[in-house]
PDB file of all heavy atoms in Angstrom:
ATOM      1  N   THR A 299     135.508 168.410  75.433  1.00 94.00           N
ATOM      2  CA  THR A 299     136.038 167.259  74.707  1.00 94.00           C
ATOM      3  C   THR A 299     137.436 166.872  75.181  1.00 94.00           C
ATOM      4  O   THR A 299     137.994 165.894  74.692  1.00 94.00           O
ATOM      5  CB  THR A 299     136.082 167.542  73.197  1.00 94.00           C
ATOM      6  OG1 THR A 299     136.915 168.682  72.947  1.00 94.00           O
ATOM      7  CG2 THR A 299     134.683 167.819  72.669  1.00 94.00           C
ATOM      8  N   ARG A 300     138.016 167.656  76.098  1.00 96.00           N
ATOM      9  CA  ARG A 300     139.303 167.356  76.719  1.00 96.00           C
ATOM     10  C   ARG A 300     140.414 167.221  75.676  1.00 96.00           C
ATOM     11  O   ARG A 300     141.188 166.275  75.681  1.00 96.00           O
ATOM     12  CB  ARG A 300     139.200 166.077  77.568  1.00 96.00           C
ATOM     13  CG  ARG A 300     138.174 166.174  78.678  1.00 96.00           C
ATOM     14  CD  ARG A 300     138.022 164.874  79.436  1.00 96.00           C
ATOM     15  NE  ARG A 300     139.169 164.577  80.278  1.00 96.00           N
ATOM     16  CZ  ARG A 300     139.397 165.057  81.497  1.00 96.00           C
ATOM     17  NH1 ARG A 300     138.533 165.916  82.028  1.00 96.00           N
ATOM     18  NH2 ARG A 300     140.463 164.707  82.180  1.00 96.00           N
ATOM     19  N   GLN A 301     140.495 168.213  74.784  1.00 97.00           N
ATOM     20  CA  GLN A 301     141.560 168.194  73.792  1.00 97.00           C
ATOM     21  C   GLN A 301     141.965 169.608  73.406  1.00 97.00           C
ATOM     22  O   GLN A 301     141.193 170.558  73.535  1.00 97.00           O
ATOM     23  CB  GLN A 301     141.143 167.404  72.553  1.00 97.00           C
ATOM     24  CG  GLN A 301     139.944 167.950  71.794  1.00 97.00           C
ATOM     25  CD  GLN A 301     139.605 167.075  70.594  1.00 97.00           C
ATOM     26  OE1 GLN A 301     140.379 166.953  69.658  1.00 97.00           O
ATOM     27  NE2 GLN A 301     138.428 166.446  70.621  1.00 97.00           N
ATOM     28  N   TRP A 302     143.207 169.729  72.932  1.00 98.00           N
ATOM     29  CA  TRP A 302     143.733 170.999  72.423  1.00 98.00           C
ATOM     30  C   TRP A 302     143.335 171.147  70.962  1.00 98.00           C
ATOM     31  O   TRP A 302     143.491 170.225  70.173  1.00 98.00           O
ATOM     32  CB  TRP A 302     145.249 171.023  72.556  1.00 98.00           C
ATOM     33  CG  TRP A 302     145.723 171.092  73.981  1.00 98.00           C
ATOM     34  CD1 TRP A 302     145.969 170.038  74.813  1.00 98.00           C
ATOM     35  CD2 TRP A 302     145.987 172.272  74.735  1.00 98.00           C
ATOM     36  NE1 TRP A 302     146.376 170.492  76.044  1.00 98.00           N
ATOM     37  CE2 TRP A 302     146.404 171.858  76.024  1.00 98.00           C
ATOM     38  CE3 TRP A 302     145.924 173.638  74.450  1.00 98.00           C
ATOM     39  CZ2 TRP A 302     146.752 172.768  77.020  1.00 98.00           C
ATOM     40  CZ3 TRP A 302     146.267 174.544  75.438  1.00 98.00           C
ATOM     41  CH2 TRP A 302     146.675 174.113  76.707  1.00 98.00           C
ATOM     42  N   ILE A 303     142.812 172.335  70.612  1.00 98.00           N
ATOM     43  CA  ILE A 303     142.395 172.594  69.238  1.00 98.00           C
ATOM     44  C   ILE A 303     142.934 173.948  68.800  1.00 98.00           C
ATOM     45  O   ILE A 303     143.187 174.834  69.619  1.00 98.00           O
ATOM     46  CB  ILE A 303     140.854 172.571  69.104  1.00 98.00           C
ATOM     47  CG1 ILE A 303     140.203 173.583  70.061  1.00 98.00           C
ATOM     48  CG2 ILE A 303     140.315 171.165  69.343  1.00 98.00           C
ATOM     49  CD1 ILE A 303     138.699 173.705  69.899  1.00 98.00           C
ATOM     50  N   PRO A 304     143.132 174.148  67.497  1.00 98.00           N
ATOM     51  CA  PRO A 304     143.583 175.458  67.019  1.00 98.00           C
ATOM     52  C   PRO A 304     142.549 176.537  67.333  1.00 98.00           C
ATOM     53  O   PRO A 304     141.344 176.313  67.183  1.00 98.00           O
ATOM     54  CB  PRO A 304     143.731 175.259  65.508  1.00 98.00           C
ATOM     55  CG  PRO A 304     143.740 173.790  65.285  1.00 98.00           C
ATOM     56  CD  PRO A 304     142.960 173.179  66.400  1.00 98.00           C
ATOM     57  N   ASP A 305     143.030 177.675  67.755  1.00 98.00           N
ATOM     58  CA  ASP A 305     142.137 178.785  68.109  1.00 98.00           C
ATOM     59  C   ASP A 305     141.598 179.435  66.836  1.00 98.00           C
ATOM     60  O   ASP A 305     142.345 179.669  65.880  1.00 98.00           O
ATOM     61  CB  ASP A 305     142.908 179.813  68.942  1.00 98.00           C
ATOM     62  CG  ASP A 305     141.982 180.794  69.640  1.00 98.00           C
ATOM     63  OD1 ASP A 305     140.763 180.518  69.704  1.00 98.00           O
ATOM     64  OD2 ASP A 305     142.474 181.837  70.115  1.00 98.00           O
ATOM     65  N   ARG A 306     140.317 179.705  66.822  1.00 98.00           N
ATOM     66  CA  ARG A 306     139.701 180.393  65.680  1.00 98.00           C
ATOM     67  C   ARG A 306     138.532 181.227  66.163  1.00 98.00           C
ATOM     68  O   ARG A 306     137.955 180.961  67.229  1.00 98.00           O
ATOM     69  CB  ARG A 306     139.213 179.382  64.634  1.00 98.00           C
ATOM     70  CG  ARG A 306     138.149 178.418  65.146  1.00 98.00           C
ATOM     71  CD  ARG A 306     137.614 177.528  64.044  1.00 98.00           C
ATOM     72  NE  ARG A 306     136.798 176.431  64.571  1.00 98.00           N
ATOM     73  CZ  ARG A 306     136.196 175.524  63.813  1.00 98.00           C
ATOM     74  NH1 ARG A 306     136.302 175.580  62.506  1.00 98.00           N
ATOM     75  NH2 ARG A 306     135.489 174.542  64.365  1.00 98.00           N
ATOM     76  N   ASP A 307     138.169 182.238  65.359  1.00 97.00           N
ATOM     77  CA  ASP A 307     136.979 183.010  65.701  1.00 97.00           C
ATOM     78  C   ASP A 307     135.770 182.387  64.999  1.00 97.00           C
ATOM     79  O   ASP A 307     135.873 181.363  64.318  1.00 97.00           O
ATOM     80  CB  ASP A 307     137.161 184.493  65.375  1.00 97.00           C
ATOM     81  CG  ASP A 307     137.239 184.780  63.869  1.00 97.00           C
ATOM     82  OD1 ASP A 307     136.963 183.873  63.044  1.00 97.00           O
ATOM     83  OD2 ASP A 307     137.586 185.926  63.511  1.00 97.00           O
ATOM     84  N   ALA A 308     134.626 183.019  65.167  1.00 96.00           N
ATOM     85  CA  ALA A 308     133.390 182.446  64.638  1.00 96.00           C
ATOM     86  C   ALA A 308     133.386 182.366  63.113  1.00 96.00           C
ATOM     87  O   ALA A 308     132.649 181.558  62.527  1.00 96.00           O
ATOM     88  CB  ALA A 308     132.191 183.257  65.114  1.00 96.00           C
ATOM     89  N   ALA A 309     134.225 183.190  62.456  1.00 98.00           N
ATOM     90  CA  ALA A 309     134.289 183.184  60.997  1.00 98.00           C
ATOM     91  C   ALA A 309     135.324 182.216  60.454  1.00 98.00           C
ATOM     92  O   ALA A 309     135.407 182.013  59.246  1.00 98.00           O
ATOM     93  CB  ALA A 309     134.585 184.593  60.492  1.00 98.00           C
ATOM     94  N   GLY A 310     136.142 181.620  61.338  1.00 98.00           N
ATOM     95  CA  GLY A 310     137.167 180.694  60.892  1.00 98.00           C
ATOM     96  C   GLY A 310     138.554 181.288  60.811  1.00 98.00           C
ATOM     97  O   GLY A 310     139.497 180.620  60.362  1.00 98.00           O
ATOM     98  N   ARG A 311     138.730 182.536  61.234  1.00 98.00           N
ATOM     99  CA  ARG A 311     140.054 183.150  61.221  1.00 98.00           C
ATOM    100  C   ARG A 311     140.890 182.580  62.364  1.00 98.00           C
ATOM    101  O   ARG A 311     140.414 182.440  63.487  1.00 98.00           O
ATOM    102  CB  ARG A 311     139.963 184.666  61.355  1.00 98.00           C
ATOM    103  CG  ARG A 311     139.282 185.363  60.187  1.00 98.00           C
ATOM    104  CD  ARG A 311     139.229 186.868  60.394  1.00 98.00           C
ATOM    105  NE  ARG A 311     138.632 187.549  59.251  1.00 98.00           N
ATOM    106  CZ  ARG A 311     137.340 187.847  59.136  1.00 98.00           C
ATOM    107  NH1 ARG A 311     136.490 187.478  60.105  1.00 98.00           N
ATOM    108  NH2 ARG A 311     136.879 188.463  58.068  1.00 98.00           N
TER     109      ARG A 311
END
Side-chain angles (χ1 to χ4, degrees):
T299 59
R300 300 176 72 82
Q301 62 181 295
W302 291 89
I303 57 175
D305 195 14
R306 61 175 169 179
D307 68 10
R311 295 180 177 92

